[in-house]
Amino acid sequence: MGGRIVGAGVAVLLVTGCGAEAEPVAVPPPGPAAVDVAAASSGGACRLLDFGVIEQHAGFRFDVAAASRTGDSHTCVVRAGQTTLPELTLTVTETSIDAATFTADVVPEKAAKVSGLGQKAYQRTTSAKGASGPVVEVCWLAAGGSLASLRYATSGATDRSEAEKLTTALVTLARTLDTRAL
């Protein structure tokens, strides 16, 4: 009989334990969701750029874009997160200059001619200055009366010959841009 009383007591304890509600456990809120935003969402000249296309040509993944406008000039700067360099800058300015004026007044000394980009175009690489590395520049007189340039500023650890390899990539990227879309 003692065994039945103990068995009944255990059964009562088990049933009582099952009926009690558990205290709620505090769960931390989920962290912020990472959203991949297109460069074009910044407006202005950034509407002409796409992070995926830039990565395909330049080999760097950018994820931050900022646009500005001053007078007839539209600018877009793209960077990777909080880093300052490398950065890619696109500037498009409305202009009335012709090809001869572009060649005489815009093309710097020691710049190389680029064929098949706009009416006239050049490319060049400048030397590193201070903590900044070399800068690769492609500039062209585009159809529709605009002067456009792509500048790729490298970090200070970049060798000039390494930067010069980017000129072909920037020219190819420039050919994908329709500056008349501004």
Side-chain angles (χ1 to χ4, degrees), residues 38-128:
S41 67
S42 295
C46 292
R47 293 187 313 240
L48 303 177
L49 297 174
D50 177 87
F51 291 132
V53 174
I54 295 169
E55 182 177 16
Q56 177 185 353
H57 294 290
F60 291 95
R61 178 71 181 163
F62 294 107
D63 54 10
V64 176
S68 70
R69 179 178 180 181
T70 304
D72 292 336
S73 293
H74 302 264
T75 303
C76 178
V77 177
V78 294
R79 293 182 177 166
Q82 299 297 318
T83 62
T84 305
L85 294 172
E87 78 175 12
L88 179 70
T89 305
L90 168 65
T91 304
V92 180
T93 304
E94 294 176 30
T95 186
S96 59
I97 66 171
D98 59 10
T101 305
F102 176 84
T103 302
D105 295 341
V106 177
V107 178
E109 290 183 27
K110 299 182 182 179
K113 180 181 174 182
V114 174
S115 299
L117 177 60
Q119 298 174 39
K120 291 280 185 176
Y122 73 83
Q123 67 185 31
R124 72 176 179 156
T125 304
T126 62
S127 300

